Structure formats: C-alpha cells, structure tokens
Amino acid sequence: DLLTDMDDAGDIYNTSKYMNCLFTAEIPRRWPTIKAYSCHPGLVWTEIFDKSILPFNTEPEKYPDWLKTIGTYIMKALLYVFAKTPKQGAATQLHCCLQDDLVNGEFYADCRLANSLYRHPNIQDEDQGTELWEQSEQIVNL
C-alpha cells in the first residue's frame, strides 16, 4: 500500500516522487490526447543550499558548531563538484516541453528516458496508478 505511515524523510520524499511518476503514467491512460511527462532534474545547486546545514538539518542543536561548519564545507564542496546549475537542471523539463517524439506518460532524466538508476521498476504499473488515482479522488471528494 502506497499510503503507509513513514517516519523517514528520505522514504517520504522518494515515495512522493514515485507517486508523481504513477500519476504521470495514469494521465495518458485516462486522456490519451494529453501529453504528460515526469522529470528528474538531477541534483541542482540552488540558493537553498546556501542557507542550509544539510548534514545536520534534523536536530542541529545536538551537534557542535565546529562539526556543523566542517560538514557544511564538505557538503558545499561535493555540490560544487557534482551538482548542476539551475540552467542545467531545467534542461530536461524544457526538453519535455519542446520535443515532439517523446513517450507519453514516461519518466525523463538528462534529456532522455530515465535509465534504471533513476527509475523505480513499477512506475508504469497500471494497478498502482489506478489505485493511487482513485484514492486521491476519494481524499479530495471527487
């Protein structure tokens, strides 16, 4: 069941992204003329990281200032090496908006169909997509 109680922020985030993919795959099944794509921009360095002590964002009072400072520098160094700029992060969304030959209802990353590294194996599962859609309709009283 997709709507279980979760207490880990990573699980909650990942499940929400998975649900976005299920919704995206469900749209063309219900309305074939509507184009829908889910996109993974990658790790994008935005100003949110400038104000964040990422490694210590839960209960920061537990950690000494020197450790938060070192952790922040390490995190920013990793972001500098591995993260995309905002313009690079927008490329896949723009690709999906501007290309005509994409697979409707699919998941894209780096301006192409997402590979298995990014894809959950069940993002095209019709039963889960239908179940999520119908549960969502019940939640919002449609």
Side-chain angles (χ1 to χ4, degrees):
D1 184 27
L2 294 173
L3 300 176
T4 58
D5 289 334
M6 292 175 276
D7 57 2
D8 179 75
D11 285 343
I12 293 168
Y13 176 83
N14 292 335
T15 300
S16 74
K17 297 303 158 196
Y18 175 58
M19 288 179 170
N20 284 340
C21 290
L22 288 173
F23 266 115
T24 300
E26 187 68 17
I27 289 170
R29 288 194 285 266
R30 291 172 181 264
W31 301 289
T33 58
I34 295 177
K35 302 292 184 197
Y37 312 103
S38 52
C39 302
H40 176 56
L43 177 62
V44 180
W45 190 346
T46 62
E47 65 183 39
I48 192 170
F49 294 112
D50 295 340
K51 299 172 179 71
S52 175
I53 50 172
L54 274 180
F56 311 100
N57 59 0
T58 57
E59 303 181 78
E61 65 280 354
K62 286 185 166 183
Y63 303 98
D65 287 341
W66 66 267
L67 184 58
K68 290 187 278 190
T69 300
I70 290 172
T72 299
Y73 281 116
I74 290 170
M75 196 65 187
K76 287 187 178 187
L78 290 170
L79 286 168
Y80 182 78
V81 173
F82 295 108
K84 295 177 180 181
T85 66
K87 286 181 182 178
Q88 292 168 327
T92 299
Q93 287 84 338
L94 290 171
H95 174 77
C96 288
C97 290
L98 300 172
Q99 290 296 319
D100 292 328
D101 59 344
L102 302 180
V103 180
N104 199 7
E106 265 296 349
F107 180 52
Y108 286 81
D110 296 322
C111 298
R112 60 182 175 266
L113 275 173
N115 64 33
S116 60
L117 176 65
Y118 297 116
R119 291 178 66 86
H120 187 283
N122 297 330
I123 62 172
Q124 290 290 327
D125 185 299
E126 286 191 41
D127 292 336
Q128 284 191 353
T130 300
E131 177 187 355
L132 178 61
W133 194 280
E134 290 172 355
Q135 286 183 12
S136 298
E137 285 180 329
Q138 289 175 1
I139 290 169
V140 297
N141 296 318
L142 287 181

